Amino acid sequence: MNFATEMAPMPIVEPKASHGMVVLGEGTVYLSHMPMFMDPHAVQYVLEVTLKSATGDARQIYADDRRTTGTAVYTLAPEPFRISDLVAPEGQEPKLTSFTGTLFRGHFERGGTEIIDPVTVEVQRVINFRHFDHHASRPPAPGPELPGLREGK
């Protein structure tokens, strides 16, 4: 019996993870991933979405809550998924076009208040999708033309 003497590289399978997002907009709703500088979270993406719920018009519930409370930050804690499933080669549909999660007033990891659970997110389009370049050089410090940034103002 013959055995292979070289190991074929195993494909890297991105693990499913929960990718927290900031919720923006009212008429049109956008989700912006809260990235971290480690895989699989080292991706910045912005999605245009619709929100649905069994309890009513989820977008309207969210917009009314935002206007009533004056709260600036809303977040979404989605079910675990693979970020790469949001994109596909030209002319193909992505594997992931909808997912569920919980919508929070405030930051879900910092005492936020649950608004809708579950909420169904339907992705209308991916506006931006970019992996962080871990080897990119740091931009230069602000020069004299932007003095306020240097003092942290």
Side-chain angles (χ1 to χ4, degrees), residues 96-112:
L96 186 66
T97 57
S98 70
F99 53 89
T100 60
T102 305
L103 181 68
F104 288 85
R105 177 188 318 118
H107 194 300
F108 65 89
E109 292 178 318
R110 297 188 179 121

Side-chain angles (χ1 to χ4, degrees), residues 12-35:
I12 297 173
V13 177
E14 172 193 346
K16 286 186 177 184
S18 185
H19 302 285
M21 301 174 218
V22 175
V23 184
L24 306 162
E26 288 183 16
T28 301
V29 178
Y30 301 93
L31 300 177
S32 179
H33 180 231
M34 297 186 292

Side-chain angles (χ1 to χ4, degrees), residues 44 53 130:
Q44 179 59 63
S53 170
R130 185 173 74 86

Side-chain angles (χ1 to χ4, degrees), residues 14-19 21 45 47 78-86 96 99:
E14 172 193 346
K16 286 186 177 184
S18 185
H19 302 285
M21 301 174 218
Y45 61 83
L47 309 173
E79 65 186 6
F81 67 91
R82 291 179 183 90
I83 288 179
S84 59
D85 287 348
L86 289 169
L96 186 66
F99 53 89

